[in-house]
Structure formats: structure tokens, C-alpha cells
Amino acid sequence: MKRTSRDIRTANRYEVLRQIIAESPTSRQELAAATGLSLATVATLVGELLDLRMITEVGFEDSAGGRPRGLVAVNASGGALIGVDIAETYVHVELFDLALNVLARADEDMRPGESLPEQVVSHVAAAVGSVVAQAGIEGARVLGVGVSVPGQVNRDTGISEYAPNWDWHDVPLLDLLSEVIAYPLYLDNPLRAGAVAEMWFGAARGRGDAVVVNLGTGVGAGLALGGGLYRGVSNSAGEWGHTTLVLDGRLCRCGNHGCVEAYVGAPGIMLNLRELSPQSPLLHPEDQTATIDALARGVSAGDPVAVKVVRETARYVGAGIANLVNVLNPEIVVLSSWVARSLGEPLLHEVREAVGRHALPRPMAATRIVLSPIPTDPACLGAATFALEGALQSVGQRKAPSAKRAAPARAGRTAPPS
Amino acid sequence: MKRTSRDIRTANRYEVLRQIIAESPTSRQELAAATGLSLATVATLVGELLDLRMITEVGFEDSAGGRPRGLVAVNASGGALIGVDIAETYVHVELFDLALNVLARADEDMRPGESLPEQVVSHVAAAVGSVVAQAGIEGARVLGVGVSVPGQVNRDTGISEYAPNWDWHDVPLLDLLSEVIAYPLYLDNPLRAGAVAEMWFGAARGRGDAVVVNLGTGVGAGLALGGGLYRGVSNSAGEWGHTTLVLDGRLCRCGNHGCVEAYVGAPGIMLNLRELSPQSPLLHPEDQTATIDALARGVSAGDPVAVKVVRETARYVGAGIANLVNVLNPEIVVLSSWVARSLGEPLLHEVREAVGRHALPRPMAATRIVLSPIPTDPACLGAATFALEGALQSVGQRKAPSAKRAAPARAGRTAPPS
């Protein structure tokens, strides 16, 4: 549990870079004020980031009579980061500069039933190869690839320990990916990627305690508590989707009964629709995306079945979020991922009403519920920040970002290290 | 959200004192290692605590060839702290020395229906007067009184905002108490008091993420996350008792349906018993304590009704704890408060089984579920530590603990500041 001084130094370096990315240009004095670190510490860390070419000096600002202050900014072209969002229905890959601007994007659809690790890996490899080619950058400039995969992951071993929607158990995903991708790889799950994206760039920025609720095929809650990502003791916190909301209720893919996910994951929403109107034309039995999109269009058009299904779904989402509000007393709850994006404001409206009916007045009064304001894929963005964090952690092992990679090159990879 | 350097200094002083209380005698070097603070900072804080007479020099230890190291220990007789645990069925008050040893104790029973603020305040005043008299100490040596009261409290204003089991709304409890108690008063609730007690002296000591589940008339979960007490954005985190476990289920006192508390609070357990066996001699309709004690004796004696009621109750407790395990991935879950103490090992055994059926394998494998090992009342102990924290916070306003109190003396109090 105790952190070494090296851990603390890495965390501080990351915190300073994160602040520079959020507020470029900025001065060492502003960084010290924003991070709570001493000016001397900030100056040392800024020096290291300058040496790594991750940031650059960009001029001076007056300081009310004192010496002019040197300004630094992120060196956007100092390297590239790749974020991979693996979901049950798609693979999204985005390539970012160091200011976390999207330079290129590739999407791959996954057909229903396409869930073998080898199939997933080949989609990821194709999309990673595509974004590097599109961006036209040298492979050597890619500092790392962050990979978000649903379910419970061991980020140290790179193993996907359990992905209920694919029935994956102990899949050595990072090993499989490293056979076809030559960049340093960092594995985590969409709950944590989504939470970090909101903390850095989204609705949780500057908030003390935030809950980022992912609504997709699977559902869960990324937790940003006390200004930092909360992982739990074995990096599996946030499994809100598998909390019991209806004791002895509907069977969930995890084997339990009455889980939140069984009612509000995309397959659960399809079941809500089927129970209400078995022959509904909104239902595309084998296609989650088409069904959710049809529901969204139906709500816009005032289709009573669509309105009722979204209201019923929101009742479960709202009762489940009220549980999080009562336990965690967050400042903000963010609805994210593709189902939330597709159902949008009508879902948000119903969810707010439902949370209000279930949460206690005091925590309810302290919280806001919003849709994710991140225009691109938050899980890609968050995964890319894990790669950035990883790149900073490996400073010391290698002198500059263009030096030898963490993973040795192998034949047959889509993106050799130049 | 940003802490001032004064906040940080107070927090560090508290952390050092906490470590000295936990490990007396100890050296400045050991304190630096345990707290992660620099030796210079520790030396300054130790100096301040010596000046305040909260700790004393107690000799030297050899340091393997180096200079002998000075040892400090808590100055147990340097002051007294009072912890008050107000529950629906009792008021417990304990007086502690600075090493947090219990010097005196007074209990008051609350009759069913005895729930007016004035009635509660008069029980507290009587018990506080009793422990000071028993301990035979000067009032001036009492550094403060921590008060734990059920429900949602605003610790800054001292208002009990909502106590569902008494139907209290916005009761100015600290003002009422300060009319009859002359010591500085600090208000919080049993969830946080219980969590701090376990962190300092109990099963959560040295654990990164811990959940302390209070099972009493009301139920809730104190959260000790990342080594510190987690309060949420408006100090109302931990309201696990009012999370929905059975959507549209049993009516709860909070007005919602299907809350955990409706099934596992003492009145909920009585209802479990009544539903199973309406005429059971175990049931004392107006007496929670007698009914829970009868159930405990019944389980020991192998009474099938008692065994079944405890098993059924444990099913709800276990499903509810599994929700906390899945969301928070804690290292330890501690069962505390009077119902857990009374039902003891048989309840623990059934709860472990039930959590195992509901929690996901990965977080389940990382957690232990135990009964509170604290032999006295954890809520009194935790409340006393809030008083200690408050006393350290007011350092700077007053030079030494025997100086002028935070609350001015008034006539008619049970314990004038001598």
C-alpha cells in the first residue's frame, strides 16, 4: 500500500503534465498553485517534461511588477497516443497528439456472435494500422496504445479475467495484441477509461467526487473520488451493472438474478421492449445498435411503445443511480457510452425524475446528472491517457520517447516501430 | 476543494498524533516512515504536540550504530475526550484518556417512542455528567465531546438534517446540546464514527479500502477509502441502508420501497420474524433489543424459527454487501453495531455465504468479511476521535488545551469548564 518516492515522483510528473494539457500555456507558478506542489518540485518536473519534448517553452507573461514568468505548453507534435475502445458491438480506435486532439479515427463493426479473442484482436490490429497510416506519422512517435476492454481486467498481467457478455475467462489479451501491435500496450476497462476522460476533459473536471455511468451492452460506473480515479483493492471497482436491484429478478449474464445490467444493458432494454410489445417493428432481434437507434427515433416521433420502453428503462437506471448517489454522495453523475448517447435527452430527463424519486434528499440536492459532453468516444480518450500515464511511468527506463520500446519488435506486426 | 497549507498542516499533525497513539512509544524516524512525511516536518509536528502536552518524551532507543533516537509516546493523562453514541434505543457515553483508553462509561436506555430532541439531549447531558464525575477529572481537561447521531448530519452547522427512524428534520442538535454541555462539541453520524474507529483501532487498520457496515435500528456503511474517511460531497455518503435491493418491495421508513434497511434494520428483522411466525414467543413487539437478543439465544439453542429468520436476514444483508463489494472492491468488510454484535458468528457465517452467491468472483476474492473486533462501543470511540481531531484543528486559535474553550460557558450546565 505504501507508495515509494519513485511512484510519487511519477504521479506528480503525470499530474503536472495533465495540468499543462488542460491549461496550455501556463506558468510554473500557476502549476504549483493548481497541483499543490512546491514551486521547486514543479520546476524540476517541468524540466524533465521539457527534456522529454512533451512540452515546450512558449514565451513569457508579465507578473504584476515581478519578473516575467516563463510559459510552457504541451508539445502537441511531441508524440502520438492511440486509444482503443473494444465494445461488444464495435471497435473504435483514435490516434491523438499529445494535446489529446484526435488526428485519425478508425471504426470496425463486430457482427453478432463475433466474440472470439482472435477475432477481436484482428479488428483492433486493422484499426490501429489504419489510424497510423491515416495520420501519416512515424511508428516511432507512437508513445503507446491504451486498450479498453469490457469486464474485469488485470492491468498488471494484461489478462481479461472475466467478460460476461462474451463469456471470456482469463484471456491473455495483451499477449495476443502484442503479437500484432508493436507499440507499448496498456490494458484497462471502459469504466475507468470513461471516468478518466470525464475527469480530464469532460463533466467531472474540477469536481471532487464523480460517478460516470456507462450505458452500453454491459453497464457499469467509473468512480472518480477525491479528485482521483478510484480502482478498489484489485482494480475491479465500479461493477454497478452487477449490483442487485430486483432481488430474485431477471437472470443476468453473470449468472446472478436481478442485476441492474439485466434491465438496462442493451440486451436488457431489448427484453424490456419484447416484454411490452413482442411484435414491435422497433425490435431488431439480432442487432442491439439497430434496436436502440430505432427506440431513439421512436421517442422523437412520439411512438408510445418507444416512449414507454425508455421510461421503464429509465426507472431501472434511475433506481440504480439513486443507489450510487446514496452510497457515494457524488457532486456529479455523468451518463456515458453509446446507449446513453443514442437515447440522449429523453433518457436523461426520465432518469433524473427516477433518481429524484429514489435518492435521499440531502445527497440528491448535492448532485447533478448530465450527459457526457465529450464529442468523440470517451473510452478511446481515456484509454489514450492510460498510454500517456504508462509512457511517463517508463521514463527512467528509457531516456526519451523515441528510444527503444517497452515491447520488442516482432515479425508480422501491422505497425513496426519504424 | 483545494486545501490550504493550514488544512494540510492540521491534517498532518492529526496523522502524526494518530500514528503515535497507534504505536507508542515511537521515534520521529518511524513516524516519518509510517506517514510518508519528511523527517523535518515530523520533527516540527512532534514539537507542537509536545508543547500541547498531548505527547511526552519517554527515552531513547539504539539505532544500529547511529545516534540514539528519542522516543515519544502519547501523554495519556494530557487530556480527556468524550464520545457519545446516540442510537434509537440507547445513549452510550464513554470518557477516554488521550491514548483512547476508556476511563468511564454511562449508558442510558431510551424507551420506545422516546424520540423528541429534548428527551435525547437530556439523556446525553446526564450521561456526560456521569462519566466526568466517575472519572474524577477536572472539566478543564475535557478537550471535547464527539457526538454520533443517526441519519444525515451537517457537521458544520451541527444540525441533524434527517433522521428517518425518529422523523427528525433539521433539528439544531448541537445548539440544544451546547445549552447543557460546556465542552466543545463535534457532531457526526455513526457510519463515520464506526469507520474511523475501525481505521484507527479495529479491523480496517492498515487496509486501503474498507467498508464498515453498521447493523442497528437503522443500517448504513461507513467508507474508509484510500486510507481515509470518505464523506462524499455533502458528508452524506454511506447511506447503504436506503439503497434499493427489492424494487417495489417493502415500504421503508424513508418513504421509499425495497430499501436494504427495510429488511435488515432491527424493525425489519422483527418483520421478517413476524412474517415467518406471527405468534413466535421470540417476538417482543415493542422492544427491538429484546427481540434481537431472543433471536440470538434461539439460534444458539437451535430454534428452527430463529435459525430461519437469521438466515433470511443474512440473505438480504449478503446481497446488499455484495453490491458494495462489486461497486467498491474493498479489502475488508466489517460488520458492526449492536445487531451485528448480538447475532454474532451465526449471522457472519450466513452473510459470508450470501455475499459469495451474489458478488462477482474477482472483487469477492479480494475481500474479507469480519465482525468488528472493537470490544467497547465503536461509535463512542469514533466520536471521541472526532473530538480529538477538532481539538487539533483549533490549535492556533488557543495556545494550549487548557485555555479558553471554543464554546463559552453558560449557566445551568452539567459540566462547567471548571
Side-chain angles (χ1 to χ4, degrees):
Chain A
M1 242 177 39
K2 254 192 81 49
R3 302 199 306 170
T4 66
S5 54
R6 179 145 191 280
D7 293 339
I8 292 168
R9 192 180 183 83
T10 300
N12 288 344
R13 195 188 290 122
Y14 185 59
E15 181 62 28
V16 166
L17 179 57
R18 167 180 162 172
Q19 190 62 30
I20 295 171
I21 291 173
E23 302 274 4
S24 274
T26 183
S27 66
R28 291 163 183 78
Q29 288 78 4
E30 285 171 340
L31 289 168
T35 59
L37 298 170
S38 74
L39 189 55
T41 301
V42 167
T44 303
L45 299 173
V46 164
E48 290 173 358
L49 293 168
L50 286 166
D51 289 346
L52 292 166
R53 303 233 192 122
M54 286 179 156
I55 62 174
T56 52
E57 305 268 12
V58 293
F60 293 89
E61 70 173 0
D62 282 342
S63 69
R67 272 206 307 172
R69 293 172 168 181
L71 295 175
V72 293
V74 65
N75 177 19
S77 60
L81 300 162
I82 295 175
V84 177
D85 174 17
I86 303 175
E88 286 82 353
T89 53
Y90 59 78
V91 171
H92 290 168
V93 174
E94 294 176 356
L95 186 144
F96 301 84
D97 65 18
L98 279 193
L100 275 309
N101 301 305
V102 180
L103 300 186
R105 168 158 193 168
D107 293 350
E108 303 256 325
D109 283 337
M110 299 236 269
R111 294 184 305 278
E114 200 177 14
S115 65
L116 290 176
E118 296 72 23
Q119 296 171 314
V120 171
V121 164
S122 105
H123 281 298
V124 172
V128 166
S130 166
V131 292
V132 173
Q134 285 177 59
I137 61 161
E138 286 177 45
R141 291 196 24 236
V142 177
L143 301 184
V145 181
V147 178
S148 159
V149 69
Q152 290 170 37
V153 299
N154 185 325
R155 55 203 287 264
D156 299 321
T157 61
I159 288 173
S160 162
E161 295 197 341
Y162 180 47
N165 286 299
W166 286 331
D167 203 27
W168 282 13
H169 295 270
D170 295 320
V171 171
L173 189 62
L174 224 52
D175 281 350
L176 296 172
L177 285 167
S178 73
E179 288 176 11
V180 289
I181 295 174
Y183 313 117
L185 291 158
Y186 304 93
L187 191 69
D188 216 314
N189 87 1
L191 304 181
R192 280 174 285 281
V196 168
E198 297 298 334
M199 277 170 62
W200 279 50
F201 301 103
R205 232 187 109 187
R207 308 278 173 176
D209 301 311
V211 171
V212 181
V213 170
N214 273 22
L215 299 176
T217 302
V219 306
L223 307 178
L225 307 182
L229 182 62
Y230 178 80
R231 295 183 175 279
V233 70
S234 62
N235 197 40
S236 45
E239 292 292 346
W240 170 73
H242 301 287
T243 60
T244 302
L245 183 62
V246 187
L247 195 69
D248 304 323
R250 205 181 259 184
L251 180 65
C252 180
R253 297 209 191 187
C254 75
N256 213 330
H257 286 263
C259 293
V260 169
E261 183 168 304
Y263 298 88
V264 312
I269 298 174
M270 291 169 76
L271 189 48
N272 298 344
L273 171 56
R274 190 177 287 124
E275 285 183 355
L276 185 71
S277 172
Q279 304 301 325
S280 170
L282 300 169
L283 190 66
H284 298 69
E286 293 298 315
D287 194 332
Q288 298 176 22
T289 318
T291 305
I292 299 299
D293 287 347
L295 277 171
R297 284 192 306 272
V299 170
S300 294
D303 176 319
V305 169
V307 168
K308 203 161 170 189
V309 168
V310 169
R311 182 166 297 157
E312 180 72 0
T313 300
R315 189 169 85 92
Y316 295 110
V317 174
I321 288 178
N323 286 354
L324 294 172
V325 167
N326 284 351
V327 169
L328 293 172
N329 185 205
E331 192 173 351
I332 193 158
V333 177
V334 186
L335 304 187
S336 185
S337 201
W338 67 272
V339 170
R341 188 161 50 237
S342 179
L343 297 178
E345 289 290 340
L347 177 74
L348 176 67
H349 175 76
E350 296 284 347
V351 166
R352 280 182 177 150
E353 301 257 312
V355 177
R357 287 195 299 275
H358 286 91
L360 292 172
R362 184 171 162 86
M364 186 67 204
T367 201
R368 292 175 52 224
I369 306 171
V370 301
L371 292 171
S372 171
I374 296 174
T376 54
D377 183 328
C380 286
L381 182 57
T385 68
F386 290 132
L388 180 58
E389 195 174 9
L392 285 178
Q393 212 141 28
S394 61
V395 169
Q397 276 109 300
R398 37 181 199 150
K399 290 316 270 181
S402 59
K404 194 160 161 291
R405 308 264 141 234
R410 294 179 209 175
R413 292 180 179 198
T414 58
S418 84
Chain B
M1 248 181 32
K2 253 191 81 58
R3 301 198 306 170
T4 65
S5 56
R6 178 145 190 279
D7 291 341
I8 293 169
R9 193 181 182 82
T10 300
N12 288 344
R13 194 188 292 122
Y14 185 57
E15 182 59 28
V16 166
L17 179 57
R18 169 181 161 172
Q19 191 61 32
I20 296 170
I21 291 173
E23 300 275 2
S24 274
T26 184
S27 66
R28 290 161 182 81
Q29 289 77 5
E30 284 169 341
L31 288 169
T35 58
L37 299 170
S38 73
L39 190 55
T41 302
V42 167
T44 304
L45 299 174
V46 164
E48 290 174 1
L49 292 169
L50 285 166
D51 288 347
L52 291 166
R53 304 232 192 124
M54 284 180 158
I55 62 174
T56 51
E57 306 266 13
V58 293
F60 294 88
E61 69 173 359
D62 283 341
S63 70
R67 273 208 307 173
R69 295 172 165 178
L71 295 175
V72 293
V74 64
N75 178 17
S77 59
L81 300 161
I82 295 175
V84 177
D85 175 16
I86 304 177
E88 287 82 352
T89 52
Y90 59 77
V91 170
H92 290 167
V93 175
E94 293 176 357
L95 186 143
F96 301 84
D97 65 20
L98 280 192
L100 275 309
N101 299 305
V102 180
L103 299 186
R105 169 160 193 163
D107 294 346
E108 303 255 324
D109 283 336
M110 300 234 270
R111 291 184 307 277
E114 200 177 15
S115 65
L116 291 177
E118 296 71 22
Q119 295 172 314
V120 170
V121 164
S122 102
H123 280 298
V124 172
V128 166
S130 165
V131 292
V132 173
Q134 285 177 56
I137 60 162
E138 287 177 44
R141 292 199 22 239
V142 178
L143 300 183
V145 180
V147 178
S148 159
V149 69
Q152 290 171 37
V153 298
N154 185 325
R155 56 202 286 267
D156 299 322
T157 61
I159 288 173
S160 163
E161 296 197 341
Y162 181 46
N165 286 299
W166 286 330
D167 203 28
W168 281 12
H169 296 268
D170 296 321
V171 171
L173 189 63
L174 225 52
D175 281 350
L176 295 173
L177 285 167
S178 73
E179 289 176 11
V180 288
I181 295 175
Y183 313 116
L185 291 158
Y186 305 93
L187 191 69
D188 215 314
N189 87 1
L191 304 181
R192 281 174 283 281
V196 167
E198 296 299 332
M199 278 169 62
W200 279 50
F201 300 104
R205 234 189 103 187
R207 308 280 170 176
D209 301 310
V211 171
V212 181
V213 170
N214 273 22
L215 300 175
T217 302
V219 307
L223 308 178
L225 307 181
L229 183 61
Y230 178 80
R231 296 183 175 276
V233 70
S234 61
N235 197 40
S236 46
E239 291 292 346
W240 169 74
H242 301 287
T243 60
T244 303
L245 183 62
V246 186
L247 195 69
D248 304 323
R250 203 182 261 182
L251 179 66
C252 181
R253 298 210 190 185
C254 74
N256 212 331
H257 285 264
C259 293
V260 169
E261 183 169 304
Y263 298 88
V264 313
I269 298 174
M270 290 168 77
L271 189 48
N272 299 343
L273 170 56
R274 192 178 285 122
E275 285 181 357
L276 185 73
S277 174
Q279 303 303 324
S280 170
L282 300 169
L283 191 67
H284 300 68
E286 294 298 316
D287 193 334
Q288 297 176 23
T289 319
T291 305
I292 300 298
D293 286 347
L295 277 170
R297 284 192 304 273
V299 170
S300 295
D303 176 320
V305 169
V307 167
K308 205 163 171 187
V309 168
V310 169
R311 182 166 298 158
E312 180 72 359
T313 300
R315 189 169 85 94
Y316 295 109
V317 174
I321 288 178
N323 286 354
L324 294 172
V325 167
N326 284 351
V327 169
L328 293 172
N329 186 202
E331 193 173 350
I332 194 160
V333 177
V334 186
L335 305 187
S336 185
S337 198
W338 67 271
V339 169
R341 192 165 42 239
S342 179
L343 296 178
E345 288 290 339
L347 177 73
L348 175 67
H349 176 76
E350 295 285 346
V351 165
R352 281 181 175 151
E353 301 257 314
V355 177
R357 288 195 300 274
H358 285 91
L360 291 172
R362 186 171 160 86
M364 187 65 204
T367 201
R368 291 173 56 222
I369 306 170
V370 301
L371 293 170
S372 170
I374 295 174
T376 54
D377 182 330
C380 286
L381 182 56
T385 68
F386 290 133
L388 179 58
E389 195 173 9
L392 284 178
Q393 213 141 29
S394 62
V395 169
Q397 276 110 298
R398 38 181 199 150
K399 290 316 269 180
S402 60
K404 192 158 163 288
R405 310 265 138 231
R410 295 180 209 175
R413 295 182 175 196
T414 58
S418 87

